[in-house]
Amino acid sequence: MGAAVVGVDASSAFIRRASERAPRGLEFRVGDARTLNGIAPASFDGATLLLAAANIEPIAPALAAIERVVIHGAPLVLVLPHPCFRIPR
């Protein structure tokens, strides 16, 4: 639909699998959500954090990195699992 999409995950296995299964034209990078190194400031119109926020420690640097790479006022969509579906550790 005309969107440029970049997916970032710390797991090279997840990135490889996403690259194999996703439609052409999507970009995937192994990286740390707490830094988003290699992504220029204000280069995105929005961001999503899908089922990952609960697993990023600490979360504050990831939110700061997202704020850096999206344009001012851009939306951030957080998708979180309901606590009843988390496995106790």
Side-chain angles (χ1 to χ4, degrees):
M1 301 185 92
V5 176
V6 177
V8 177
D9 197 283
S11 167
S12 58
F14 283 4
I15 292 298
R16 184 174 48 258
R17 179 171 271 178
S19 297
E20 293 168 355
R21 294 180 176 197
R24 292 178 192 244
L26 302 184
E27 180 182 344
F28 297 96
R29 299 180 187 182
V30 175
D32 188 335
R34 295 169 295 185
T35 62
L36 296 176
N37 288 334
I39 299 178
S43 56
F44 289 94
D45 295 327
T48 59
L49 195 52
L50 300 174
L51 301 172
N55 300 313
I56 299 173
E57 287 287 333
I59 191 65
L63 297 175
I66 292 168
E67 182 178 31
R68 179 183 60 80
V69 301
V70 299
I71 60 171
H72 180 71
L76 168 61
V77 176
L78 290 170
V79 178
L80 302 169
H82 191 280
C84 74
F85 295 109
R86 293 202 42 94
I87 299 170
R89 295 178 196 216

